[in-house]
Amino acid sequence: MTESRTSDFDADLLNRANAWLQQDPDEETRAELQALISAGDQESLRDRFDQRIGFGTAGLRGELGAGPNRMNRVLVAQAAAGIVEYLKTIGGKSVVIGFDGRINSDVFAADSASIFAAAGFEVLLFDGYVPTPVLAFATKFGTLEADGSRRPYDIGVMVTASHNPPRDNGYKVYAGALGGSQIISPIDKEIADFITQIAAEKTFRQLAKSDAYTVGGGEIMDAYVARTASLVARSAEPRTPVLITFTAMHGVGWHTTQRVFQAAGLPEPETVARQINPDGNFPTVAFPNPEEPGALDLAFAQASANQSDLILAVDPDADRLAVAVPDATEPTGWRNFTGDQIGFILGCEVAAKAAADGQTGALACSIASSSALTAVAKHYGLGFQQTLTGFKWISKVPGLIFGFEEALGYCLDPQFTPDKDGISAALVMADLAARLAAKGTNLAEHLEALMQTFGHTATSQITLRFNNVGKAKEQVASLRSQPPATLAGLSAAFEDLALPSSDLPATDGLRFTLTDGRRALIRPSGTEPKLKCYLQATGATKAEASAALSELETDLRKLLGA
């Protein structure tokens, strides 16, 4: 570094950057940081050091790089050490760790395993990539006791950024005490406090590490495959094989999906070869999220060439599922079902099966999702509940037999896999498509028939992107201070979800309900710099519901400046 640049530097910022540089064990991030220091790039350094990625119910998630406001080995090690201290307070003693194919996921997982092992915990590190639902299953499936019984792991860790941009990574935490589902408050706050303390007191090298952990997981994977395959009953109901094109979006979903389809006796789908194997660079997609425009272009092209009947696409960690069906009126020749539509179809399947089996329980979805399953639950004598967004809430609904959220997440086996699972959803959709084909119909016609039975509901979204999460929160705060009294020409009842209510914990969001039942929910994304607005309308016909929705969307776009 030159003398002039040194003299211009904020001394505290320089000290913090150099302190991080001294402890960073990663050659790449250390070189990145040294280059910023040498260049005197204080703006970039402030971005990395003036705040840190917060640990919350979603764990950690952010861009790879040096400093506490990036995902790196130091930050992850501090998180693992914080979880160690939390486990000590509850008498925990076992951890299971999975990782996906993103850059450094395997490194972050191994560092975590060594820190947990040094604390004397029983640690299982999966011996290869696993989908997130397999880790959720593993946390609840548990570890083998001396008497042959199984005890849930006290903590499960999944290193993944799910469907985030390619340069991101993340760290999700599950708790056996919560039935194997993701942590909720106040656990996140307790862990975060320990992380803050450790970051202030110890360097990466001072954190104790040990290689006394087990690498394996084959037995758990076998159990997941068998259990998931059992969701499709091998009944006498006829099936006509349908041709499916499948993409894993450069993620880790294919090999587990392949095994599940084989175990269930379903034909193996065709695959999008360029996207089927794990690749943390995600070379064919800007955003590896099947909801994003362009993400399914390769699948559309291949499915059209193959004359497929159905496209199934999981996101990189395979906890979400997108579905597309042929539609000559669409520019691509394919129609994407919305998450609400897929959730409605799957919820109807589960509810009908529960009724046939004499099973009771509840259907559920998030407040951002369509409430169309209300009528389905009533028809089959089941309960129905809407929760805050996220499967950490949905999975905890008492008696849950099916839950979904509009962001392509569906939980079909909450007793064993208490999280969203794109693989089980793909299996059930494929089996349903085969049974419908045997009757001379298809998924699009089936959806229309279900709406004719249970009512027409139309939903849509408005998404605004910002350069940081704070901007989205600022816009919500502005609307909170001056909420509109009317929407689409009707009075709109306003509810501030940041205030606790009898049925929901407090959350940062605004809900408007019009006098004709239409509704709008506005909230900042919990993991990305986005503002999301979720709209719903109902009608006696599909056209009526769509027209009412369109009117509401037009007014909301004006309000949000979209």
Side-chain angles (χ1 to χ4, degrees):
M1 187 190 327
T2 66
E3 186 67 31
S4 62
R5 284 172 178 162
T6 302
S7 63
D8 292 340
F9 241 106
D10 178 305
D12 177 63
L13 177 62
L14 179 60
N15 288 336
R16 284 183 283 139
N18 276 321
W20 191 280
L21 185 66
Q22 293 304 310
Q23 69 166 316
D24 193 340
D26 186 285
E27 291 185 8
E28 184 175 338
T29 49
R30 196 166 58 246
E32 169 201 324
L33 182 53
Q34 181 63 71
L36 294 174
I37 295 172
S38 299
D41 189 347
Q42 296 194 71
E43 182 179 353
S44 294
L45 288 172
R46 288 195 180 97
D47 182 44
R48 288 160 171 77
F49 286 92
D50 281 357
Q51 56 186 330
R52 68 181 289 128
I53 296 175
F55 184 93
T57 56
L60 301 168
R61 196 174 295 189
E63 183 181 354
L64 293 166
N69 198 33
R70 295 288 188 274
M71 288 295 298
N72 51 65
R73 292 182 68 185
V74 177
L75 188 83
V76 167
Q78 292 168 347
I83 294 170
V84 165
E85 296 306 312
Y86 166 74
L87 281 172
K88 289 178 181 177
T89 67
I90 64 169
K93 59 182 181 180
S94 61
V95 183
V96 59
I97 306 171
F99 58 95
D100 68 5
R102 283 182 178 263
I103 296 169
N104 276 358
S105 285
D106 56 343
V107 177
F108 296 159
D111 281 346
S112 299
S114 70
I115 290 170
F116 292 131
F121 300 146
E122 175 192 352
V123 181
L124 173 64
L125 172 64
F126 271 93
D127 55 9
Y129 304 137
V130 294
T132 291
V134 174
L135 189 281
F137 175 89
T139 305
K140 189 161 188 177
F141 185 71
T143 180
L144 192 64
E145 298 280 70
D147 62 1
S149 64
R150 303 198 73 92
R151 176 176 56 82
Y153 282 95
D154 295 303
I155 287 289
V157 170
M158 182 67 196
V159 184
T160 178
S162 190
H163 58 288
N164 272 40
R167 285 295 299 172
D168 284 9
N169 213 325
Y171 200 80
K172 295 176 71 171
V173 182
Y174 297 76
L178 299 175
S181 58
Q182 277 183 257
I183 59 171
I184 56 175
S185 294
I187 296 174
D188 61 326
K189 179 64 165 57
E190 294 173 22
I191 294 174
D193 289 344
F194 283 124
I195 293 171
T196 300
Q197 180 181 343
I198 287 160
E201 295 176 352
K202 292 186 178 181
T203 67
F204 180 89
R205 291 173 180 81
Q206 289 172 329
L207 295 173
K209 304 173 188 68
S210 169
D211 61 2
Y213 54 85
T214 301
V215 177
E219 177 190 15
I220 293 175
M221 178 63 79
D222 291 345
Y224 170 83
V225 169
R227 172 64 201 178
T228 304
S230 74
L231 298 179
V232 175
R234 296 195 179 190
S235 65
E237 189 174 354
R239 290 164 172 80
T240 297
V242 295
L243 183 58
I244 298 171
T245 291
F246 178 91
T247 177
M249 206 67 64
H250 296 296
V252 298
W254 168 239
H255 294 296
T256 306
T257 302
Q258 183 182 37
R259 288 190 59 188
V260 167
F261 271 59
Q262 289 172 347
L266 293 185
E268 185 172 303
E270 299 279 344
T271 62
V272 180
R274 292 174 60 191
Q275 296 180 333
I276 207 63
N277 293 317
D279 187 337
N281 293 305
F282 301 98
T284 69
V285 287
F287 286 89
N289 178 355
E291 289 183 292
E292 293 287 341
L296 295 181
D297 284 355
L298 286 179
F300 291 153
Q302 180 163 324
S304 296
N306 293 344
Q307 296 186 317
S308 291
D309 302 295
L310 180 64
I311 293 173
L312 299 175
V314 295
D315 69 338
D317 67 330
D319 65 350
R320 301 168 191 258
L321 174 74
V323 176
V325 295
D327 188 335
T329 67
E330 294 289 336
T332 61
W334 291 86
R335 171 190 169 194
N336 285 342
F337 282 164
T338 67
D340 284 327
Q341 291 170 335
I342 299 169
F344 181 53
I345 292 171
L346 291 173
C348 288
E349 277 295 290
V350 172
K353 184 176 185 301
D357 295 342
Q359 182 183 0
T360 59
L363 308 178
C365 68
S366 72
I367 56 174
S369 306
S370 165
S371 59
L373 287 182
T374 307
V376 178
K378 183 177 180 181
H379 176 81
Y380 288 108
L382 301 170
F384 176 76
Q385 185 173 331
Q386 286 192 290
T387 74
L388 295 184
T389 57
F391 276 82
K392 56 183 170 284
W393 300 110
I394 295 171
S395 66
K396 295 176 181 61
V397 169
L400 181 70
I401 59 173
F402 173 76
F404 85 96
E405 60 182 5
E406 50 71 38
L408 304 181
Y410 327 98
C411 182
L412 286 124
D413 195 22
Q415 182 180 354
F416 290 86
T417 305
D419 200 0
K420 55 186 178 292
D421 184 350
I423 296 171
S424 60
L427 176 75
V428 173
M429 289 296 283
D431 182 68
L432 173 59
R435 287 186 281 118
L436 292 171
K439 299 175 182 177
T441 186
N442 55 48
L443 286 169
E445 293 173 352
H446 180 63
L447 174 60
E448 179 62 26
L450 291 175
M451 287 193 295
Q452 291 285 357
T453 300
F454 296 109
H456 292 272
T457 300
T459 61
S460 66
Q461 282 187 37
I462 301 170
T463 300
L464 301 182
R465 292 184 179 275
F466 300 94
N467 56 9
N468 63 68
V469 175
K471 293 291 186 182
K473 292 181 178 294
E474 288 173 11
Q475 185 149 354
V476 171
S478 176
L479 284 170
R480 176 179 285 117
S481 65
Q482 292 184 305
T486 63
L487 287 171
L490 296 177
S491 296
F494 168 63
E495 183 180 1
D496 185 354
L497 299 180
L499 303 176
S501 67
S502 58
D503 59 339
L504 289 173
T507 188
D508 190 6
L510 314 173
R511 185 161 55 184
F512 299 89
T513 304
L514 280 63
T515 52
D516 64 355
R518 284 180 287 180
R519 72 177 199 196
L521 173 72
I522 302 172
R523 59 180 288 271
S525 170
T527 57
E528 298 175 86
K530 294 179 178 178
L531 179 74
K532 289 195 168 186
C533 180
Y534 306 89
L535 311 176
Q536 175 174 310
T538 58
T541 64
K542 181 178 180 180
E544 184 179 307
S546 296
L549 180 69
S550 179
E551 182 185 29
L552 179 60
E553 182 172 343
T554 297
D555 209 20
L556 259 295
R557 286 189 177 277
K558 291 178 182 177
L559 177 68
L560 297 172

